[in-house]
Structure formats: C-alpha cells, structure tokens
Amino acid sequence: MTDHSGTTANTDRNARKTRRFGIDPSTRELVFGSVRIPLPRSRLARVGLGIALVFGGLLGFLPVLGFWMLPLGLIVLSHDMPAVRRWRRRFSVWWARKRRPVN
C-alpha cells in the first residue's frame, strides 16, 4: 500500500508556482514571479492601499515614487472592485493573444 498524501501537497505547491502574477485567492497574497507579498485582510485597507498606489503612480515623475505603483495599485484594487477586475482580465487576454505566435 502506498501513501499518496505527499503528492497532493506537492501538486498544490507546483500549482502555486505556475501562477506568474496577480492575487492568489487562497492565500490573499500578491504574486510576482517568485515574490509573494501578503495583502491586508480588511477590504477597506486593501482598497485604501490600492488607491494610494494608483495615486503614487500618477506622481511617478517625482524622485521617490515610480510609475510601477500604478499597475500594482490596479492589481490590488482588482481583488475587491469588479470593474477594475474586468479591465485587468481584458488586458490579460489581450496580452496573451498578442504574445501568441502567428501560425
């Protein structure tokens, strides 16, 4: 008799590694490649953080802030706001189609 309990944990770990960017819904962490950043549990805190990042991204020409904050803020907001989630999903589909090789 063989114990397969280790294979389910290994499969779950591999499934997490395949996700390249976005928010992992099971752990509520922001995922960028191998970097995982935990998000606040409070919806109000996540929306506040997302708005602050978008606002900081709009001021990206200043020395301390950067334009990298704009997409990060939109990803954080997409977790709680359906309109931003649709925009992000449309962009992801467009990007995948653009990168697909033409036959």
Side-chain angles (χ1 to χ4, degrees):
M1 194 132 214
T2 308
D3 182 23
H4 293 290
S5 61
T7 58
T8 57
N10 200 12
T11 304
D12 185 43
R13 190 176 309 127
N14 289 337
R16 285 186 185 176
K17 286 183 180 179
T18 59
R19 189 168 186 94
R20 304 228 179 197
F21 74 96
I23 296 178
D24 186 3
S26 62
T27 60
R28 291 191 178 177
E29 292 178 330
L30 207 63
V31 179
F32 288 105
S34 62
V35 178
R36 302 177 79 79
I37 303 168
L39 288 176
R41 291 194 179 269
S42 167
R43 181 176 191 261
L44 185 62
R46 282 191 307 268
V47 170
L49 177 66
I51 290 172
L53 285 168
V54 168
F55 183 71
L58 293 175
L59 299 175
F61 57 88
L62 296 173
V64 176
L65 306 174
F67 292 111
W68 58 270
M69 297 171 80
L70 189 63
L72 183 62
L74 291 174
I75 289 173
V76 171
L77 284 175
S78 73
H79 186 67
D80 293 311
M81 302 179 90
V84 180
R85 188 176 311 127
R86 281 190 295 270
W87 295 339
R88 181 183 55 84
R89 181 65 184 147
R90 284 180 189 157
F91 177 75
S92 296
V93 169
W94 173 80
W95 187 259
R97 286 182 181 162
K98 182 180 177 187
R99 295 192 61 191
R100 188 178 340 166
V102 178
N103 292 342

